């Protein structure tokens, strides 16, 4: 995960983790609350809707352990969404920062070129003044 964040390839990692958590939570909820989640598909549907913090309410856990699992899935979903939002925002900020650095670099190079031109002009004038003084 640390390498994924450092290399800015965290989005596929987050997507994969979200899918894995959805499948895992869907499986666990079918074990914990068999009455409300009779099939794996129903459990996965509930887990994905809960991870996304949508919560349609068409399928909900009624047992204590089902609700505990639901609370955990909600907290994980909110955390993942916040992390995803922060990641996308940091991509935009980094791109803008890189563009600003490139513009700044071009301005510096242009300023140096202008400065060299002015110094060459001054050096020419000084040479002319020295020539007149020496004559």
């Amino acid at each position: 995960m640390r390498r994924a964040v450092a290399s800015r390839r965290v989005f596929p990692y987050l997507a994969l983790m979200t899918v894995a958590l959805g499948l895992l939570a869907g499986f666990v909820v079918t074990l914990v609350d068999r009455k409300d989640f009779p099939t794996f598909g129903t459990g996965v549907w509930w887990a994905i809707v809960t991870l996304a913090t949508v919560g349609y309410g068409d399928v909900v856990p009624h047992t204590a352990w089902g609700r505990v699992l639901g609370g955990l899935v909600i907290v994980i979903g909110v955390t993942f969404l916040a992390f995803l939002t922060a990641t996308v925002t940091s991509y935009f900020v980094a791109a803008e920062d890189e563009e600003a650095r490139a513009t700044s670099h071009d301005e510096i190079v242009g300023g140096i070129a202008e400065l060299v031109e002015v110094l060459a002009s001054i050096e020419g004038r000084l040479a002319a003044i020295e020539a007149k003084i020496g004559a």
Side-chain angles (χ1 to χ4, degrees):
M1 183 173 154
R2 197 175 282 166
R3 284 193 316 242
V5 172
S7 67
R8 297 179 184 247
R9 293 191 179 117
V10 73
F11 188 76
Y13 178 78
L14 280 174
L16 180 66
M17 287 302 298
T18 303
V19 169
L21 282 169
L23 293 172
L24 178 66
F27 175 71
V28 171
V29 80
T30 57
L31 296 176
V32 170
D33 194 350
R34 198 58 141 153
K35 180 182 172 196
D36 294 318
F37 302 96
T39 65
F40 177 67
T42 305
V44 170
W45 167 252
W46 169 82
I48 290 172
V49 168
T50 305
L51 276 170
T53 68
V54 174
Y56 289 124
D58 56 345
V59 182
V60 294
H62 289 97
T63 66
W65 284 111
R67 290 180 178 188
V68 167
L69 179 64
L72 289 172
V73 171
I74 289 169
V75 169
I76 291 169
V78 169
T79 303
F80 269 54
L81 286 175
F83 194 63
L84 180 63
T85 302
T87 301
V88 170
T89 303
S90 72
Y91 286 155
F92 284 123
V93 169
E96 188 175 306
D97 191 39
E98 189 174 313
E99 184 178 314
R101 270 194 235 130
T103 302
S104 177
H105 180 266
D106 291 344
E107 289 173 356
I108 290 171
V109 168
I112 290 173
E114 186 178 325
L115 183 60
V116 166
E117 217 175 274
V118 169
L119 288 174
S121 171
I122 291 172
E123 187 177 13
R125 287 180 181 168
L126 285 175
I129 292 172
E130 286 175 350
K132 286 182 181 180
I133 290 176

